[in-house]
Amino acid sequence: MSVLIEARGLVKRYGARTVVRRVDLTVAPGEIVAVVGPNGAGKTTTLEMILGIRRPDGGRVTYRLGDPRRETGAQLQATPFFPHLTAAENLQLFAAFYGVRLSPARVAELLEGCGLAGAARTEAARLSGGQQKRLAIALALVHRPKVLFLDEPAAALDPRARREVRELIRRVAREGTAVVFTSHDMEEVGKLAHRVVFIIDGEVRAAGSPAELLARHGAPTLEDLYLRLTEGQEV
Ligand code: ADP
């Protein structure tokens, strides 16, 4: 299997506290990887080290995809866009950040691909929650990255909007872009992820496809497995 990103033994310390301990994570083309675990487990820190936003205190990240800044896209914030610019203007502005000029046809294609064809001239602030989330994803795709990172992409959305975001993630992956996302919704993770990585207390405690994980741990659902793996954790 070819691999685009290979993180080995990542460690992050804040003062005397080690918040990420020897985490391994690989990403292959077109694959959807879910990173799950309790709040404060080290998921975001791990993704930020892989993205080069935070410097690891140990381990290394190998990129097999050219310039990682150009080949990765990330949406780690809830509403990253400029609220008073239209959806199309936001896309053009974000493309400019990457030094990419978007043709009107490419803007239309991106909006269409993210289910926002009718929203090109709508101010971002006026879009629905689900549309805003899909715009956030479109903004991370302007430069055609090979790997897309999303932090809780479906959090706080209604069921229809969640489904739309799930379908968008599947489409992005089918077109060859790997997607790495975090989520607390185990049902969603089971529906969407090809591979699930449980990070608990800074460590990878279990990893594999949903089916492999359930079989290996004898758990009826991913939620049961989550509860079992996090038993005794402070909440
Ligand atoms: P998760 O994404 O799983 O919720 P994080 O990676 O955000 O977890 O955080 C892991 C731990 O590191 C948490 O205990 C958090 O409080 C701590 N942490 C994160 N960023 C910093 C920082 N800049 N300084 C000190 N501690 C931090």
Side-chain angles (χ1 to χ4, degrees):
M1 184 177 68
S2 65
V3 167
L4 295 172
I5 298 178
E6 185 173 10
R8 288 281 167 230
L10 289 183
V11 173
K12 184 71 189 177
R13 294 186 201 95
Y14 290 116
R17 247 185 96 213
T18 303
V19 299
V20 175
R21 306 155 197 267
R22 295 180 301 280
V23 163
D24 295 340
L25 200 138
T26 59
V27 185
E31 144 174 88
I32 304 178
V33 181
V35 179
V36 303
N39 288 322
K43 303 180 297 295
T44 308
T45 305
T46 298
L47 297 191
E48 288 179 343
M49 286 191 285
I50 291 173
L51 282 162
I53 299 170
R54 278 176 207 252
R55 183 186 290 276
D57 295 308
R60 57 177 296 142
V61 183
T62 309
Y63 305 94
R64 297 200 176 85
L65 40 60
D67 180 350
R69 274 168 310 178
R70 299 201 72 86
E71 303 294 354
T72 58
Q75 209 43 269
L76 303 182
Q77 298 161 38
T79 47
F81 42 74
F82 293 84
H84 300 302
L85 297 182
T86 67
E89 288 165 346
N90 267 288
L91 282 172
Q92 271 149 348
L93 193 57
F94 273 68
F97 295 156
Y98 285 103
V100 175
R101 250 187 77 83
L102 292 186
S103 66
R106 174 73 180 138
V107 171
E109 180 189 273
L110 270 165
L111 290 171
E112 166 87 40
C114 294
L116 293 168
R121 282 193 277 276
T122 305
E123 275 187 20
R126 297 181 157 284
L127 297 172
S128 72
Q131 287 176 319
Q132 290 187 353
K133 194 58 82 167
R134 283 182 277 124
L135 175 60
I137 294 174
L139 295 174
L141 293 172
V142 287
H143 57 303
R144 301 179 190 273
K146 294 197 178 96
V147 187
L148 174 65
F149 291 83
L150 302 171
D151 206 1
E152 297 194 40
L157 296 180
D158 65 47
R160 181 176 301 278
R162 288 177 105 83
R163 171 170 291 197
E164 288 166 358
V165 167
R166 254 193 336 261
E167 282 170 1
L168 173 55
I169 289 173
R170 283 199 194 99
R171 168 144 21 102
V172 167
R174 263 200 314 274
E175 288 170 5
T177 299
V179 181
V180 181
F181 74 105
T182 65
S183 175
H184 289 301
D185 181 339
M186 290 302 113
E187 200 184 326
E188 177 173 281
V189 165
K191 283 181 184 161
L192 201 50
H194 303 136
R195 205 147 53 76
V196 185
V197 178
F198 280 88
I199 296 186
I200 295 161
D201 205 9
E203 289 177 335
V204 175
R205 293 282 171 81
S209 71
E212 279 165 8
L213 284 167
L214 298 185
R216 194 184 309 147
H217 294 270
T221 66
L222 285 177
E223 184 172 81
D224 284 286
L225 178 56
Y226 179 99
L227 292 172
R228 196 184 301 169
L229 291 171
T230 56
E231 212 158 287
Q233 289 275 307
E234 282 177 41
V235 287

